[in-house]
Amino acid sequence: MGSWSDFRRDRILVAGQWVSADNGGVLDVIDPATGESIGTVPNAGVAETGRAIEAASAAFETFSRTTAAERAKMLRDLSTAILDNQDALAELLTREQGKPLAEAKGEVGMSAAYILWFAEEARRVYGDTIPSPWGDRRIMVTKSPVGVVGAITPWNFPSSMLARKIGPALAAGCTVVAKPASQTPYSALAWGVLAEQVGIPAGVINILTGSAREIGGELTSNPLVRKITFTGSTGVGKLLLKQAAATVKKVSMELGGNAPFLIFDDADLDRAVAGAVAAKFRMPDRHASAQTDFMSRPGSTTASLKPSRTPPKSWSSAPGSSKVQLSARSSTMQPLPRLRNSSATPSGKARVVTGGKRHPKGDRFYEATVLADANATMNFAHDEIFGPIAPVFKFETEDEAVRLANDTEFGLAAYFYTQDPGRAFRVSERLQYGLVGINEGMITTEVAPFGGFKESGVGKEGSKYGLDDYLDVKYVCVGGLGL
Ligand code: NAP
């Protein structure tokens, strides 16, 4: 059991060595709750990335030939090491990311769960034999690791988003060059510390911090990298897709979302409100309700969310992750001028039911906010909201609810509440989303596939499907058998 500072590294990990940027440049890491620096990390670029890729490629030669049982053991040990240090890792995560300590602990627990899941899956990478159309030949299908994986991750889940990539990559026998978000690099560098502790060979996991453009450019253009896995915004995802096209890399993209949360008139309202508060005030997006008394409930429930961050014991609610996101939150209080695909100007004005202003805790905190009278012309109907804001739209019919929910280029997650089983199937089948929660607001688990439809992404993470993108399928024809 270490302390959070035992896991804070101010160097990048390349070929098993903790090193500075070539030019000695650094980036500050800011605690979003206080605005103060908690340290620096190297500002690396193309050259360091090239060396990390070469190290990963060299390590791949031997690591890809380890047995599944050996890799499963490494991953099991990694999962145990994460849990043994859950408190320290959670504190590190909260200090750089700002989410409440309990949520950070939950995220670190999810990281351990993903790694354990892929430890188990490593031993189940089965191939096939296929009935041959030729009497003297036999057909086999084998699966092999794709090679060096470039992994780029966002600020909002700085630990678990890497777990979903490192886990399947190592289970398959791939090696990794990872680049976390510049706002939250320490949780990623901590993976390097843990990997060393459990004896994962040098070069198998390399971790870079620094210029996104330079590191991303090298990862997507270097022919030694065979796969890019990215979690982040749709805009950056599209750029990486373009860049990776030149060397035809495999890609997995976990991109933006704008999750609708539908409450039908036959819903169990208490359950729906509890689900909405739990799900939406972690990563809130859109609510729609056919129930007139829905609006009277969230106010009293959100009042129980405690926006305090007096380290270390009472960290229990999130400050803004940055000034930029905080101002984006306050601007969602009114219709914004920029619309997705419409020439219409925003009409009407949302009404604040509860919250709606900066929290007395300080200008880096914002109150959990519920807005009534939202409509489809307003930006939060289409755009991602990073803040504790729940705009509520009213709908009259099931068709309208589904149309409203699908009226976005995103397709990550959708939730709805109904007690009618027919409606449960009808609506879930029509929702154009990769994840659907029916009467449940918290549905993420390592055993189920996570991944979006439409512009929310390509590929799946977690579950038995999460390994597919790290494996090449090879057809082997054995001829001349003289049968
Ligand atoms: P972002 O701005 O797209 O950044 C994500 C990562 O991409 C960061 O490491 C960033 O590095 C890097 N990046 C930025 N520009 C780049 C470039 N030109 N080339 C290569 N890399 C580049 O997203 P974010 O604001 O950190 O994260 C929030 C987004 O992630 C949201 O859209 C959210 O929906 C999405 N997300 C999706 C899922 C999912 O599972 N689908 C899960 C979590 C988050 P720097 O930090 O150095 O700029």
Side-chain angles (χ1 to χ4, degrees), residues 27 152-157 161 164 179-184 210-217 220 230-237 239-240 243 253-258 325 384 386 410 412 450-452 456-457 461:
L27 301 172
I152 303 178
T153 50
W155 58 268
N156 52 355
F157 292 95
M161 295 301 109
R164 290 181 184 182
K179 185 233 165 286
S182 296
Q183 281 172 277
T184 54
S211 162
R213 201 177 39 79
E214 289 195 28
I215 298 170
T220 47
F230 172 72
T231 302
S233 61
T234 296
V236 172
L239 178 73
L240 295 175
Q243 292 177 184
M253 295 278 148
E254 296 287 348
L255 307 178
N258 186 348
Q325 276 129 24
E384 264 188 297
F386 282 114
F410 296 121
L412 187 55
F450 191 104
S456 284
E461 293 194 324

Side-chain angles (χ1 to χ4, degrees), residues 158-171:
S159 172
S160 62
M161 295 301 109
L162 259 182
R164 290 181 184 182
K165 302 180 189 315
I166 288 174
L170 269 58

Side-chain angles (χ1 to χ4, degrees), residues 119-258:
E120 292 159 348
E121 286 298 287
R123 289 152 61 88
R124 302 190 223 299
V125 179
Y126 301 124
D128 271 319
T129 57
I130 295 176
S132 173
W134 305 291
D136 64 342
R137 300 182 221 172
R138 293 294 177 263
I139 293 176
M140 298 188 305
V141 177
T142 63
K143 294 183 183 169
S144 47
V146 295
V148 176
V149 172
I152 303 178
T153 50
W155 58 268
N156 52 355
F157 292 95
S159 172
S160 62
M161 295 301 109
L162 259 182
R164 290 181 184 182
K165 302 180 189 315
I166 288 174
L170 269 58
C174 298
T175 55
V176 178
V177 179
K179 185 233 165 286
S182 296
Q183 281 172 277
T184 54
Y186 286 138
S187 295
L189 292 165
W191 281 97
V193 183
L194 292 160
E196 278 182 336
Q197 272 182 15
V198 301
I200 292 172
V204 170
I205 298 176
N206 304 270
I207 305 160
L208 301 167
T209 57
S211 162
R213 201 177 39 79
E214 289 195 28
I215 298 170
E218 182 63 17
L219 284 175
T220 47
S221 63
N222 191 314
L224 291 176
V225 177
R226 291 316 314 149
K227 176 183 169 65
I228 294 291
T229 172
F230 172 72
T231 302
S233 61
T234 296
V236 172
K238 287 178 181 176
L239 178 73
L240 295 175
L241 281 168
K242 262 191 213 148
Q243 292 177 184
T247 45
V248 194
K249 299 190 196 310
K250 279 184 183 292
V251 288
S252 303
M253 295 278 148
E254 296 287 348
L255 307 178
N258 186 348

Side-chain angles (χ1 to χ4, degrees), residues 277-278 281-282 300-308 316-317 359 368-369 388:
V277 170
F281 286 107
R282 286 175 74 232
S300 54
T301 317
T302 56
S304 67
L305 297 172
K306 299 258 183 315
S308 65
S316 56
S317 170
H359 194 272
T369 296

